Amino acid sequence: MDAHRSDCTQYADSMMRIRAAVLLLSMHNLSTVASTLEPAPVAAETASVHIAGTRDPDWKTYRAFIAGMDVFVTELRHAPDAALRFVLMPRQTGLSNHGLLLRIASDERSIAVPVADDGSFALPRDQAAADAGAELVLNRKRELFRWRPNIHSPNVPANARRLGDLRLECAVRWAVEQADLPVFVRAVAAAFGGACHSPRVKVDFVSAQAINDIYLVDGARREALPRQWIEQAGHVYLPPVHDPTWSDDTLLEFDYEPDRR
């Protein structure tokens, strides 16, 4: 792991944001955009939405995570054999997951959430905690770790990810994140087709190991992911989660760069 990895984490740690929406809102009256829910025409080179990384786990309400848990159930067709877990990922070189303690906390109660050695965890469903405005609280400075959905179907090779798993991660992630977005921004996202279903949307995923190439494999079909969708020295990739011509069983096979982490 080197400076490229540090740059990657900074890139992927900003709040899930909608660049095209910001552009549109700077060009048009906000009330008009919010009321019509129609995206105004924009130049092709700017008509894209980039979904970047998430904010700190401390800043997320438990209620927002329950929204993600609900979406996991409704979208489970993408990965019917997978379980929903989340993962805490270090943002800085040299940080360890050892000793991480996570809890669901409100003024009235505190629920411990076990964290595995790899930083992954599963959340219980507790409506009373949600109604009390509980948040996820970590025993570390909140800027040191970020959260992500962590969904893996069984029997996927170690050097690959299944596209249906990534689609389900996107759906869960968006459900959690949009709780922090203004209503009019969510409306613009919906007008673009949703965060996970539009060709104008590029959703980023992070790889701890630098990637040289990615090959999409779906039965006899095999294609290289365009190089422009591999960013930040190979640590961020933008798979075609929106593209229905690739089935959920499509595998993204990673050709790693073993000498750069």
Side-chain angles (χ1 to χ4, degrees):
M1 185 178 297
D2 57 12
H4 292 291
R5 176 61 178 147
S6 178
D7 291 344
C8 157
T9 57
Q10 293 176 14
Y11 169 86
D13 284 337
S14 57
M15 180 180 175
M16 207 175 214
R17 61 193 180 276
I18 303 176
R19 293 180 178 174
V22 173
L23 175 64
L24 290 172
L25 295 176
S26 68
M27 295 170 61
H28 302 279
N29 183 274
L30 299 186
S31 62
T32 301
V33 174
S35 61
T36 63
L37 307 186
E38 292 289 335
V42 293
E45 63 271 20
T46 60
S48 66
V49 181
H50 192 123
I51 304 301
T54 58
R55 300 197 307 177
D56 300 331
D58 299 298
W59 296 359
K60 292 298 169 191
T61 64
Y62 177 54
R63 185 188 299 275
F65 277 92
I66 286 183
M69 295 162 67
D70 291 341
V71 166
F72 175 81
V73 174
T74 61
E75 300 291 325
L76 188 58
R77 66 186 181 278
H78 293 300
D81 298 322
L84 175 59
R85 292 183 67 82
F86 299 92
V87 64
L88 293 167
M89 304 172 67
R91 291 176 170 178
Q92 299 177 9
T93 302
L95 286 180
S96 171
N97 291 327
H98 180 71
L100 286 180
L101 298 176
L102 186 67
R103 59 192 174 94
I104 301 167
S106 68
D107 292 339
E108 291 81 18
R109 60 196 302 165
S110 179
I111 304 170
V113 178
V115 180
D117 291 341
D118 63 357
S120 66
F121 61 95
L123 286 175
R125 184 181 292 271
D126 189 302
Q127 191 58 48
D131 293 342
E135 297 183 353
L136 294 187
V137 178
L138 190 64
N139 67 330
R140 302 284 184 88
K141 292 182 178 179
R142 62 189 184 184
E143 68 270 15
L144 296 181
F145 290 84
R146 68 184 183 278
W147 71 271
R148 285 289 179 93
N150 190 38
I151 299 170
H152 295 267
S153 292
N155 303 318
V156 176
N159 68 328
R161 291 296 311 270
R162 184 177 173 276
L163 189 59
D165 296 356
L166 299 181
R167 284 174 171 148
L168 191 49
E169 285 188 8
C170 180
V172 171
R173 183 175 160 198
W174 175 241
V176 177
E177 283 292 345
Q178 69 174 331
D180 288 332
L181 295 177
V183 173
F184 62 84
V185 177
R186 279 181 275 164
V188 174
F192 271 97
C196 305
H197 303 287
S198 171
R200 295 181 177 182
V201 175
K202 301 301 177 187
V203 182
D204 75 317
F205 293 82
V206 176
S207 172
Q209 186 172 349
I211 299 167
N212 184 40
D213 289 297
I214 298 177
Y215 296 94
L216 297 163
V217 182
D218 189 6
R221 182 184 179 190
R222 179 183 176 90
E223 295 180 15
L225 186 72
R227 289 290 302 176
Q228 65 265 34
W229 303 137
I230 304 174
E231 302 179 345
Q232 297 300 303
H235 286 291
V236 171
Y237 61 100
L238 311 172
V241 294
H242 66 280
D243 187 349
T245 69
W246 293 101
S247 75
D248 284 337
D249 288 326
T250 298
L251 291 182
L252 281 73
E253 295 184 350
F254 300 110
D255 176 16
Y256 292 115
E257 298 186 16
D259 294 331
R260 188 178 69 195
R261 293 176 181 267

